[in-house]
Amino acid sequence: MTPPRLLAPSLLAADAANLERDVRLALEGGADWLHFDVMDGRFVPNLSFGPHICKRMRELFSLPLDVHLMVTRPENLVVPFIESGASLLTVHAESDGDLSRVLLAVKQNGAKAGMALKPATHPDTLRPYLPLLDLVLVMTVEPGYGGQKFLSGALRRVAAVRAMLDAEKPGCLLEADGGIDAVTAGGCVEAGADIVVAGSSVFSSGLVSDNVKVLRALLR
Ligand code: DX5
Ligand code: ZN
């Protein structure tokens, strides 16, 4: 049975002065997960949120917190984020350190473990980690910033990872992240994504709850 497709609005694009209001509006529209982008200024040039914001979101909301670590050294962040209420922790395949140990630590601390791929990283990179993975995140833009254009070739990569998961790790969820809006969401789902992340197309213009409703309807 195919799992239901989920929409994960990305907090990065929410109004920084009104995070609580914006997440509430996204929930009113039917948001399934909250995507939480963590950037360290090294793995990507930008900086974003730390565990204290994650903790506050957990205190305010009960939806799953989907933490995407765009950091060079993820190992020291596992416990702080899980203690702050992360439901799922995704590390990049291109990060440094012993990533199997990091994924194992995520699971031992009670969260689900994911691995993300930058656009240029070959899907085969995932193979050694598959036994530990609950989710794979395929970047459909270069990580680091919201509001970028969906990359051509991204759907082919989503489909390639889907085929690998179906053959080698059925049940592992597939998430697409970056440049997803009402035009690109349907293709992601057709290519096999279970979860789509959407930042700008949810929070940057129009009514947040309506934007969520429109995108969610496209995932059916
Ligand atoms: C990019 C982040 C994305 C980003 C998506 O580095 O991983 O989650 O917030 O934002 P949009 O939907 O605006 O591309
Ligand atoms: Zn992300």
Side-chain angles (χ1 to χ4, degrees), residues 28-77:
E28 271 171 38
D32 299 286
W33 291 4
L34 183 65
H35 187 78
F36 193 95
D37 288 306
V38 180
M39 305 179 183
D40 66 350
R42 274 187 80 191
F43 185 81
V44 292
N46 203 3
L47 291 166
S48 60
F49 315 109
H52 66 303
I53 308 279
C54 183
K55 182 161 177 273
R56 198 67 191 111
M57 292 299 120
R58 173 48 71 234
E59 285 163 2
L60 291 166
F61 303 108
S62 60
L63 85 174
L65 297 177
D66 170 31
V67 175
H68 176 193
L69 294 179
M70 286 164 273
V71 302
T72 300
R73 302 287 309 197
E75 71 267 25
N76 297 331
L77 293 173

mmCIF file of all heavy atoms in Angstrom, residues 28-77:
data_model
loop_
_atom_site.group_PDB
_atom_site.id
_atom_site.type_symbol
_atom_site.label_atom_id
_atom_site.label_comp_id
_atom_site.label_asym_id
_atom_site.label_seq_id
_atom_site.Cartn_x
_atom_site.Cartn_y
_atom_site.Cartn_z
ATOM 1 N N GLU A 28 -3.728 25.061 9.922
ATOM 2 C CA GLU A 28 -5.140 25.264 9.540
ATOM 3 C C GLU A 28 -5.388 24.782 8.116
ATOM 4 O O GLU A 28 -6.443 24.253 7.797
ATOM 5 C CB GLU A 28 -5.491 26.755 9.598
ATOM 6 C CG GLU A 28 -5.990 27.201 10.963
ATOM 7 C CD GLU A 28 -6.117 28.728 11.030
ATOM 8 O OE1 GLU A 28 -6.535 29.353 10.021
ATOM 9 O OE2 GLU A 28 -5.752 29.264 12.083
ATOM 10 N N GLY A 29 -4.395 24.987 7.247
ATOM 11 C CA GLY A 29 -4.521 24.549 5.861
ATOM 12 C C GLY A 29 -4.328 23.051 5.692
ATOM 13 O O GLY A 29 -4.600 22.512 4.622
ATOM 14 N N GLY A 30 -3.802 22.375 6.714
ATOM 15 C CA GLY A 30 -3.635 20.922 6.631
ATOM 16 C C GLY A 30 -2.191 20.460 6.524
ATOM 17 O O GLY A 30 -1.940 19.334 6.068
ATOM 18 N N ALA A 31 -1.226 21.291 6.943
ATOM 19 C CA ALA A 31 0.188 20.867 6.906
ATOM 20 C C ALA A 31 0.352 19.574 7.700
ATOM 21 O O ALA A 31 -0.235 19.414 8.775
ATOM 22 C CB ALA A 31 1.068 21.959 7.506
ATOM 23 N N ASP A 32 1.163 18.659 7.157
ATOM 24 C CA ASP A 32 1.353 17.358 7.818
ATOM 25 C C ASP A 32 2.567 17.366 8.746
ATOM 26 O O ASP A 32 2.501 16.872 9.863
ATOM 27 C CB ASP A 32 1.549 16.279 6.748
ATOM 28 C CG ASP A 32 0.334 16.167 5.850
ATOM 29 O OD1 ASP A 32 -0.689 15.630 6.315
ATOM 30 O OD2 ASP A 32 0.387 16.652 4.697
ATOM 31 N N TRP A 33 3.683 17.863 8.225
ATOM 32 C CA TRP A 33 4.921 17.943 8.999
ATOM 33 C C TRP A 33 5.389 19.395 8.962
ATOM 34 O O TRP A 33 4.955 20.165 8.105
ATOM 35 C CB TRP A 33 6.036 17.103 8.365
ATOM 36 C CG TRP A 33 5.880 15.619 8.410
ATOM 37 C CD1 TRP A 33 4.822 14.902 8.885
ATOM 38 C CD2 TRP A 33 6.841 14.660 7.919
ATOM 39 N NE1 TRP A 33 5.066 13.555 8.737
ATOM 40 C CE2 TRP A 33 6.297 13.374 8.151
ATOM 41 C CE3 TRP A 33 8.094 14.762 7.325
ATOM 42 C CZ2 TRP A 33 6.975 12.208 7.796
ATOM 43 C CZ3 TRP A 33 8.767 13.602 6.972
ATOM 44 C CH2 TRP A 33 8.211 12.331 7.214
ATOM 45 N N LEU A 34 6.307 19.741 9.875
ATOM 46 C CA LEU A 34 7.001 21.026 9.772
ATOM 47 C C LEU A 34 8.462 20.739 9.437
ATOM 48 O O LEU A 34 9.153 20.026 10.172
ATOM 49 C CB LEU A 34 6.897 21.803 11.090
ATOM 50 C CG LEU A 34 7.529 23.194 11.054
ATOM 51 C CD1 LEU A 34 6.788 24.111 10.069
ATOM 52 C CD2 LEU A 34 7.523 23.822 12.453
ATOM 53 N N HIS A 35 8.902 21.287 8.289
ATOM 54 C CA HIS A 35 10.288 21.092 7.857
ATOM 55 C C HIS A 35 11.148 22.187 8.477
ATOM 56 O O HIS A 35 10.817 23.370 8.418
ATOM 57 C CB HIS A 35 10.339 21.144 6.325
ATOM 58 C CG HIS A 35 11.674 20.799 5.754
ATOM 59 N ND1 HIS A 35 12.120 19.502 5.637
ATOM 60 C CD2 HIS A 35 12.662 21.588 5.246
ATOM 61 C CE1 HIS A 35 13.322 19.500 5.074
ATOM 62 N NE2 HIS A 35 13.683 20.763 4.832
ATOM 63 N N PHE A 36 12.279 21.771 9.044
ATOM 64 C CA PHE A 36 13.086 22.657 9.881
ATOM 65 C C PHE A 36 14.524 22.621 9.370
ATOM 66 O O PHE A 36 15.254 21.641 9.576
ATOM 67 C CB PHE A 36 12.975 22.119 11.322
ATOM 68 C CG PHE A 36 13.482 23.042 12.375
ATOM 69 C CD1 PHE A 36 12.617 23.900 13.041
ATOM 70 C CD2 PHE A 36 14.818 23.052 12.722
ATOM 71 C CE1 PHE A 36 13.085 24.754 14.030
ATOM 72 C CE2 PHE A 36 15.294 23.898 13.705
ATOM 73 C CZ PHE A 36 14.424 24.747 14.364
ATOM 74 N N ASP A 37 14.928 23.662 8.650
ATOM 75 C CA ASP A 37 16.235 23.691 7.991
ATOM 76 C C ASP A 37 17.307 24.238 8.923
ATOM 77 O O ASP A 37 17.213 25.372 9.379
ATOM 78 C CB ASP A 37 16.166 24.589 6.745
ATOM 79 C CG ASP A 37 15.372 23.947 5.622
ATOM 80 O OD1 ASP A 37 15.705 22.807 5.250
ATOM 81 O OD2 ASP A 37 14.417 24.582 5.133
ATOM 82 N N VAL A 38 18.342 23.430 9.144
ATOM 83 C CA VAL A 38 19.439 23.835 10.025
ATOM 84 C C VAL A 38 20.695 24.045 9.176
ATOM 85 O O VAL A 38 21.129 23.132 8.478
ATOM 86 C CB VAL A 38 19.694 22.747 11.094
ATOM 87 C CG1 VAL A 38 20.833 23.160 12.013
ATOM 88 C CG2 VAL A 38 18.420 22.488 11.892
ATOM 89 N N MET A 39 21.257 25.260 9.235
ATOM 90 C CA MET A 39 22.420 25.620 8.413
ATOM 91 C C MET A 39 23.510 26.177 9.305
ATOM 92 O O MET A 39 23.228 26.983 10.198
ATOM 93 C CB MET A 39 22.020 26.674 7.385
ATOM 94 C CG MET A 39 20.853 26.253 6.515
ATOM 95 S SD MET A 39 20.444 27.555 5.362
ATOM 96 C CE MET A 39 19.017 26.834 4.541
ATOM 97 N N ASP A 40 24.756 25.761 9.028
ATOM 98 C CA ASP A 40 25.857 26.090 9.949
ATOM 99 C C ASP A 40 26.828 27.134 9.430
ATOM 100 O O ASP A 40 27.857 27.397 10.064
ATOM 101 C CB ASP A 40 26.629 24.809 10.314
ATOM 102 C CG ASP A 40 27.364 24.207 9.113
ATOM 103 O OD1 ASP A 40 27.128 24.649 7.976
ATOM 104 O OD2 ASP A 40 28.168 23.278 9.338
ATOM 105 N N GLY A 41 26.570 27.715 8.238
ATOM 106 C CA GLY A 41 27.506 28.691 7.691
ATOM 107 C C GLY A 41 28.776 28.060 7.130
ATOM 108 O O GLY A 41 29.698 28.787 6.747
ATOM 109 N N ARG A 42 28.855 26.731 7.112
ATOM 110 C CA ARG A 42 30.035 26.032 6.566
ATOM 111 C C ARG A 42 29.622 25.062 5.469
ATOM 112 O O ARG A 42 30.100 25.120 4.354
ATOM 113 C CB ARG A 42 30.729 25.224 7.674
ATOM 114 C CG ARG A 42 31.714 26.005 8.465
ATOM 115 C CD ARG A 42 32.469 25.095 9.422
ATOM 116 N NE ARG A 42 33.545 24.367 8.753
ATOM 117 C CZ ARG A 42 34.199 23.366 9.302
ATOM 118 N NH1 ARG A 42 33.886 22.947 10.512
ATOM 119 N NH2 ARG A 42 35.174 22.771 8.651
ATOM 120 N N PHE A 43 28.731 24.160 5.814
ATOM 121 C CA PHE A 43 28.233 23.205 4.803
ATOM 122 C C PHE A 43 27.509 23.981 3.707
ATOM 123 O O PHE A 43 27.582 23.650 2.529
ATOM 124 C CB PHE A 43 27.290 22.205 5.472
ATOM 125 C CG PHE A 43 26.821 21.116 4.542
ATOM 126 C CD1 PHE A 43 27.621 20.018 4.287
ATOM 127 C CD2 PHE A 43 25.583 21.203 3.916
ATOM 128 C CE1 PHE A 43 27.200 19.027 3.416
ATOM 129 C CE2 PHE A 43 25.152 20.222 3.052
ATOM 130 C CZ PHE A 43 25.964 19.124 2.796
ATOM 131 N N VAL A 44 26.802 25.006 4.141
ATOM 132 C CA VAL A 44 26.186 25.978 3.228
ATOM 133 C C VAL A 44 26.567 27.361 3.773
ATOM 134 O O VAL A 44 26.854 27.480 4.969
ATOM 135 C CB VAL A 44 24.641 25.816 3.177
ATOM 136 C CG1 VAL A 44 24.240 24.511 2.510
ATOM 137 C CG2 VAL A 44 24.017 25.912 4.553
ATOM 138 N N PRO A 45 26.577 28.396 2.943
ATOM 139 C CA PRO A 45 27.029 29.706 3.440
ATOM 140 C C PRO A 45 26.091 30.332 4.473
ATOM 141 O O PRO A 45 26.511 31.166 5.267
ATOM 142 C CB PRO A 45 27.065 30.580 2.183
ATOM 143 C CG PRO A 45 26.918 29.669 1.017
ATOM 144 C CD PRO A 45 26.289 28.402 1.496
ATOM 145 N N ASN A 46 24.862 29.931 4.470
ATOM 146 C CA ASN A 46 23.829 30.582 5.268
ATOM 147 C C ASN A 46 23.758 30.018 6.697
ATOM 148 O O ASN A 46 24.265 28.930 6.971
ATOM 149 C CB ASN A 46 22.493 30.348 4.549
ATOM 150 C CG ASN A 46 21.429 31.345 4.890
ATOM 151 O OD1 ASN A 46 21.652 32.287 5.646
ATOM 152 N ND2 ASN A 46 20.250 31.141 4.331
ATOM 153 N N LEU A 47 23.111 30.763 7.573
ATOM 154 C CA LEU A 47 22.810 30.309 8.938
ATOM 155 C C LEU A 47 21.297 30.312 9.111
ATOM 156 O O LEU A 47 20.600 31.116 8.502
ATOM 157 C CB LEU A 47 23.399 31.277 9.972
ATOM 158 C CG LEU A 47 24.913 31.323 10.104
ATOM 159 C CD1 LEU A 47 25.325 32.565 10.899
ATOM 160 C CD2 LEU A 47 25.415 30.071 10.810
ATOM 161 N N SER A 48 20.796 29.428 9.962
ATOM 162 C CA SER A 48 19.336 29.461 10.177
ATOM 163 C C SER A 48 18.996 29.251 11.644
ATOM 164 O O SER A 48 19.287 30.120 12.460
ATOM 165 C CB SER A 48 18.626 28.456 9.264
ATOM 166 O OG SER A 48 19.083 27.149 9.532
ATOM 167 N N PHE A 49 18.406 28.108 11.980
ATOM 168 C CA PHE A 49 17.872 27.918 13.340
ATOM 169 C C PHE A 49 18.670 26.876 14.122
ATOM 170 O O PHE A 49 19.180 25.927 13.553
ATOM 171 C CB PHE A 49 16.453 27.343 13.292
ATOM 172 C CG PHE A 49 15.517 27.968 12.320
ATOM 173 C CD1 PHE A 49 15.119 27.283 11.193
ATOM 174 C CD2 PHE A 49 15.003 29.234 12.556
ATOM 175 C CE1 PHE A 49 14.214 27.829 10.306
ATOM 176 C CE2 PHE A 49 14.101 29.797 11.673
ATOM 177 C CZ PHE A 49 13.704 29.094 10.546
ATOM 178 N N GLY A 50 18.647 27.008 15.429
ATOM 179 C CA GLY A 50 19.237 25.996 16.304
ATOM 180 C C GLY A 50 18.170 25.270 17.106
ATOM 181 O O GLY A 50 16.968 25.510 16.926
ATOM 182 N N PRO A 51 18.614 24.376 18.010
ATOM 183 C CA PRO A 51 17.670 23.563 18.780
ATOM 184 C C PRO A 51 16.668 24.365 19.606
ATOM 185 O O PRO A 51 15.560 23.879 19.859
ATOM 186 C CB PRO A 51 18.574 22.734 19.705
ATOM 187 C CG PRO A 51 19.916 22.759 19.072
ATOM 188 C CD PRO A 51 20.015 24.026 18.287
ATOM 189 N N HIS A 52 17.036 25.566 20.034
ATOM 190 C CA HIS A 52 16.088 26.302 20.902
ATOM 191 C C HIS A 52 14.803 26.654 20.153
ATOM 192 O O HIS A 52 13.717 26.657 20.747
ATOM 193 C CB HIS A 52 16.753 27.537 21.518
ATOM 194 C CG HIS A 52 17.129 28.607 20.533
ATOM 195 N ND1 HIS A 52 17.954 28.369 19.457
ATOM 196 C CD2 HIS A 52 16.775 29.906 20.461
ATOM 197 C CE1 HIS A 52 18.094 29.497 18.774
ATOM 198 N NE2 HIS A 52 17.380 30.437 19.357
ATOM 199 N N ILE A 53 14.920 26.939 18.863
ATOM 200 C CA ILE A 53 13.694 27.241 18.096
ATOM 201 C C ILE A 53 12.888 25.949 17.899
ATOM 202 O O ILE A 53 11.655 25.945 17.974
ATOM 203 C CB ILE A 53 14.035 27.852 16.717
ATOM 204 C CG1 ILE A 53 14.987 29.038 16.855
ATOM 205 C CG2 ILE A 53 12.755 28.249 15.964
ATOM 206 C CD1 ILE A 53 14.352 30.340 17.219
ATOM 207 N N CYS A 54 13.610 24.852 17.671
ATOM 208 C CA CYS A 54 12.943 23.549 17.516
ATOM 209 C C CYS A 54 12.154 23.221 18.800
ATOM 210 O O CYS A 54 10.988 22.802 18.746
ATOM 211 C CB CYS A 54 14.026 22.495 17.244
ATOM 212 S SG CYS A 54 13.425 20.845 16.953
ATOM 213 N N LYS A 55 12.794 23.464 19.930
ATOM 214 C CA LYS A 55 12.153 23.186 21.230
ATOM 215 C C LYS A 55 10.870 24.005 21.381
ATOM 216 O O LYS A 55 9.820 23.493 21.815
ATOM 217 C CB LYS A 55 13.141 23.536 22.345
ATOM 218 C CG LYS A 55 12.658 23.264 23.740
ATOM 219 C CD LYS A 55 13.851 23.201 24.696
ATOM 220 C CE LYS A 55 13.407 22.994 26.115
ATOM 221 N NZ LYS A 55 13.101 24.273 26.792
ATOM 222 N N ARG A 56 10.943 25.254 20.966
ATOM 223 C CA ARG A 56 9.760 26.134 21.089
ATOM 224 C C ARG A 56 8.630 25.638 20.179
ATOM 225 O O ARG A 56 7.461 25.641 20.560
ATOM 226 C CB ARG A 56 10.202 27.559 20.721
ATOM 227 C CG ARG A 56 9.278 28.612 21.181
ATOM 228 C CD ARG A 56 9.219 28.757 22.697
ATOM 229 N NE ARG A 56 8.098 29.631 23.032
ATOM 230 C CZ ARG A 56 6.988 29.235 23.645
ATOM 231 N NH1 ARG A 56 6.840 27.989 24.055
ATOM 232 N NH2 ARG A 56 6.012 30.086 23.878
ATOM 233 N N MET A 57 9.002 25.200 18.977
ATOM 234 C CA MET A 57 7.985 24.656 18.060
ATOM 235 C C MET A 57 7.345 23.411 18.668
ATOM 236 O O MET A 57 6.144 23.200 18.580
ATOM 237 C CB MET A 57 8.608 24.325 16.687
ATOM 238 C CG MET A 57 9.051 25.525 15.881
ATOM 239 S SD MET A 57 7.663 26.634 15.487
ATOM 240 C CE MET A 57 8.198 28.150 16.259
ATOM 241 N N ARG A 58 8.181 22.573 19.301
ATOM 242 C CA ARG A 58 7.647 21.357 19.934
ATOM 243 C C ARG A 58 6.707 21.704 21.090
ATOM 244 O O ARG A 58 5.666 21.065 21.284
ATOM 245 C CB ARG A 58 8.821 20.469 20.406
ATOM 246 C CG ARG A 58 8.463 19.247 21.221
ATOM 247 C CD ARG A 58 7.333 18.403 20.601
ATOM 248 N NE ARG A 58 7.716 17.694 19.409
ATOM 249 C CZ ARG A 58 7.041 17.782 18.236
ATOM 250 N NH1 ARG A 58 5.978 18.541 18.103
ATOM 251 N NH2 ARG A 58 7.424 17.088 17.196
ATOM 252 N N GLU A 59 7.046 22.769 21.844
ATOM 253 C CA GLU A 59 6.167 23.167 22.957
ATOM 254 C C GLU A 59 4.820 23.674 22.434
ATOM 255 O O GLU A 59 3.781 23.464 23.054
ATOM 256 C CB GLU A 59 6.844 24.272 23.788
ATOM 257 C CG GLU A 59 7.960 23.753 24.674
ATOM 258 C CD GLU A 59 8.895 24.861 25.181
ATOM 259 O OE1 GLU A 59 8.673 26.049 24.882
ATOM 260 O OE2 GLU A 59 9.862 24.516 25.877
ATOM 261 N N LEU A 60 4.859 24.319 21.261
ATOM 262 C CA LEU A 60 3.642 24.938 20.737
ATOM 263 C C LEU A 60 2.790 23.990 19.898
ATOM 264 O O LEU A 60 1.573 24.143 19.841
ATOM 265 C CB LEU A 60 4.017 26.146 19.856
ATOM 266 C CG LEU A 60 4.606 27.359 20.573
ATOM 267 C CD1 LEU A 60 5.230 28.316 19.559
ATOM 268 C CD2 LEU A 60 3.538 28.074 21.387
ATOM 269 N N PHE A 61 3.444 23.047 19.210
ATOM 270 C CA PHE A 61 2.724 22.236 18.206
ATOM 271 C C PHE A 61 3.036 20.752 18.379
ATOM 272 O O PHE A 61 4.124 20.385 18.816
ATOM 273 C CB PHE A 61 3.132 22.670 16.787
ATOM 274 C CG PHE A 61 2.901 24.130 16.527
ATOM 275 C CD1 PHE A 61 3.974 25.014 16.427
ATOM 276 C CD2 PHE A 61 1.611 24.631 16.409
ATOM 277 C CE1 PHE A 61 3.761 26.369 16.197
ATOM 278 C CE2 PHE A 61 1.393 25.987 16.177
ATOM 279 C CZ PHE A 61 2.464 26.860 16.073
ATOM 280 N N SER A 62 2.084 19.918 17.934
ATOM 281 C CA SER A 62 2.333 18.482 18.083
ATOM 282 C C SER A 62 2.671 17.805 16.752
ATOM 283 O O SER A 62 2.925 16.614 16.719
ATOM 284 C CB SER A 62 1.129 17.809 18.741
ATOM 285 O OG SER A 62 0.002 18.008 17.912
ATOM 286 N N LEU A 63 2.690 18.572 15.650
ATOM 287 C CA LEU A 63 2.971 17.897 14.367
ATOM 288 C C LEU A 63 4.434 17.436 14.319
ATOM 289 O O LEU A 63 5.285 17.968 15.025
ATOM 290 C CB LEU A 63 2.629 18.801 13.173
ATOM 291 C CG LEU A 63 3.619 19.834 12.640
ATOM 292 C CD1 LEU A 63 3.056 20.456 11.362
ATOM 293 C CD2 LEU A 63 3.948 20.887 13.641
ATOM 294 N N PRO A 64 4.722 16.404 13.476
ATOM 295 C CA PRO A 64 6.097 15.922 13.384
ATOM 296 C C PRO A 64 7.066 17.024 12.940
ATOM 297 O O PRO A 64 6.765 17.797 12.029
ATOM 298 C CB PRO A 64 6.011 14.807 12.332
ATOM 299 C CG PRO A 64 4.594 14.333 12.398
ATOM 300 C CD PRO A 64 3.786 15.567 12.689
ATOM 301 N N LEU A 65 8.204 17.110 13.611
ATOM 302 C CA LEU A 65 9.240 18.095 13.259
ATOM 303 C C LEU A 65 10.329 17.374 12.468
ATOM 304 O O LEU A 65 11.014 16.483 12.979
ATOM 305 C CB LEU A 65 9.821 18.728 14.522
ATOM 306 C CG LEU A 65 8.836 19.538 15.364
ATOM 307 C CD1 LEU A 65 9.516 20.068 16.633
ATOM 308 C CD2 LEU A 65 8.249 20.707 14.566
ATOM 309 N N ASP A 66 10.450 17.797 11.217
ATOM 310 C CA ASP A 66 11.303 17.144 10.217
ATOM 311 C C ASP A 66 12.575 17.997 10.070
ATOM 312 O O ASP A 66 12.585 18.993 9.357
ATOM 313 C CB ASP A 66 10.465 17.126 8.923
ATOM 314 C CG ASP A 66 11.211 16.719 7.685
ATOM 315 O OD1 ASP A 66 12.138 15.917 7.799
ATOM 316 O OD2 ASP A 66 10.825 17.205 6.589
ATOM 317 N N VAL A 67 13.626 17.596 10.792
ATOM 318 C CA VAL A 67 14.827 18.442 10.881
ATOM 319 C C VAL A 67 15.843 18.051 9.801
ATOM 320 O O VAL A 67 16.272 16.902 9.729
ATOM 321 C CB VAL A 67 15.444 18.337 12.297
ATOM 322 C CG1 VAL A 67 16.753 19.112 12.374
ATOM 323 C CG2 VAL A 67 14.459 18.856 13.342
ATOM 324 N N HIS A 68 16.203 19.008 8.977
ATOM 325 C CA HIS A 68 17.115 18.819 7.840
ATOM 326 C C HIS A 68 18.439 19.505 8.181
ATOM 327 O O HIS A 68 18.517 20.729 8.159
ATOM 328 C CB HIS A 68 16.439 19.429 6.600
ATOM 329 C CG HIS A 68 17.273 19.420 5.362
ATOM 330 N ND1 HIS A 68 16.926 20.154 4.244
ATOM 331 C CD2 HIS A 68 18.421 18.772 5.038
ATOM 332 C CE1 HIS A 68 17.827 19.961 3.291
ATOM 333 N NE2 HIS A 68 18.751 19.138 3.749
ATOM 334 N N LEU A 69 19.449 18.690 8.507
ATOM 335 C CA LEU A 69 20.728 19.235 8.953
ATOM 336 C C LEU A 69 21.641 19.508 7.768
ATOM 337 O O LEU A 69 22.177 18.575 7.171
ATOM 338 C CB LEU A 69 21.429 18.250 9.896
ATOM 339 C CG LEU A 69 20.776 17.960 11.245
ATOM 340 C CD1 LEU A 69 21.618 16.940 12.014
ATOM 341 C CD2 LEU A 69 20.604 19.228 12.071
ATOM 342 N N MET A 70 21.827 20.768 7.427
ATOM 343 C CA MET A 70 22.800 21.145 6.391
ATOM 344 C C MET A 70 24.021 21.667 7.120
ATOM 345 O O MET A 70 24.281 22.875 7.191
ATOM 346 C CB MET A 70 22.182 22.212 5.472
ATOM 347 C CG MET A 70 21.138 21.630 4.531
ATOM 348 S SD MET A 70 20.098 22.902 3.805
ATOM 349 C CE MET A 70 18.854 23.030 5.066
ATOM 350 N N VAL A 71 24.755 20.733 7.720
ATOM 351 C CA VAL A 71 25.890 21.093 8.570
ATOM 352 C C VAL A 71 27.065 20.180 8.232
ATOM 353 O O VAL A 71 26.876 19.043 7.783
ATOM 354 C CB VAL A 71 25.541 20.965 10.078
ATOM 355 C CG1 VAL A 71 24.340 21.840 10.440
ATOM 356 C CG2 VAL A 71 25.276 19.532 10.483
ATOM 357 N N THR A 72 28.272 20.673 8.486
ATOM 358 C CA THR A 72 29.473 19.883 8.171
ATOM 359 C C THR A 72 29.643 18.726 9.145
ATOM 360 O O THR A 72 30.002 17.621 8.744
ATOM 361 C CB THR A 72 30.707 20.816 8.189
ATOM 362 O OG1 THR A 72 30.485 21.821 7.195
ATOM 363 C CG2 THR A 72 31.977 20.076 7.840
ATOM 364 N N ARG A 73 29.411 18.976 10.444
ATOM 365 C CA ARG A 73 29.612 17.919 11.452
ATOM 366 C C ARG A 73 28.301 17.684 12.196
ATOM 367 O O ARG A 73 28.019 18.345 13.197
ATOM 368 C CB ARG A 73 30.681 18.341 12.472
ATOM 369 C CG ARG A 73 32.035 18.678 11.902
ATOM 370 C CD ARG A 73 32.848 17.519 11.425
ATOM 371 N NE ARG A 73 32.992 16.442 12.375
ATOM 372 C CZ ARG A 73 33.918 15.493 12.274
ATOM 373 N NH1 ARG A 73 34.793 15.515 11.283
ATOM 374 N NH2 ARG A 73 33.984 14.520 13.141
ATOM 375 N N PRO A 74 27.505 16.733 11.727
ATOM 376 C CA PRO A 74 26.186 16.545 12.366
ATOM 377 C C PRO A 74 26.221 15.866 13.735
ATOM 378 O O PRO A 74 25.266 15.973 14.490
ATOM 379 C CB PRO A 74 25.425 15.674 11.353
ATOM 380 C CG PRO A 74 26.459 15.010 10.515
ATOM 381 C CD PRO A 74 27.687 15.888 10.526
ATOM 382 N N GLU A 75 27.331 15.175 14.088
ATOM 383 C CA GLU A 75 27.249 14.274 15.249
ATOM 384 C C GLU A 75 26.890 14.974 16.558
ATOM 385 O O GLU A 75 26.179 14.419 17.386
ATOM 386 C CB GLU A 75 28.510 13.401 15.396
ATOM 387 C CG GLU A 75 29.776 14.115 15.831
ATOM 388 C CD GLU A 75 30.609 14.570 14.639
ATOM 389 O OE1 GLU A 75 30.045 14.772 13.548
ATOM 390 O OE2 GLU A 75 31.825 14.753 14.808
ATOM 391 N N ASN A 76 27.371 16.206 16.733
ATOM 392 C CA ASN A 76 27.099 16.880 18.012
ATOM 393 C C ASN A 76 25.698 17.467 18.102
ATOM 394 O O ASN A 76 25.304 17.978 19.150
ATOM 395 C CB ASN A 76 28.119 17.994 18.251
ATOM 396 C CG ASN A 76 29.512 17.431 18.380
ATOM 397 O OD1 ASN A 76 29.684 16.293 18.824
ATOM 398 N ND2 ASN A 76 30.500 18.194 17.955
ATOM 399 N N LEU A 77 24.963 17.388 17.015
ATOM 400 C CA LEU A 77 23.624 18.000 17.023
ATOM 401 C C LEU A 77 22.509 16.981 17.239
ATOM 402 O O LEU A 77 21.356 17.360 17.444
ATOM 403 C CB LEU A 77 23.396 18.745 15.703
ATOM 404 C CG LEU A 77 24.290 19.973 15.514
ATOM 405 C CD1 LEU A 77 24.133 20.548 14.118
ATOM 406 C CD2 LEU A 77 23.948 21.036 16.560
#
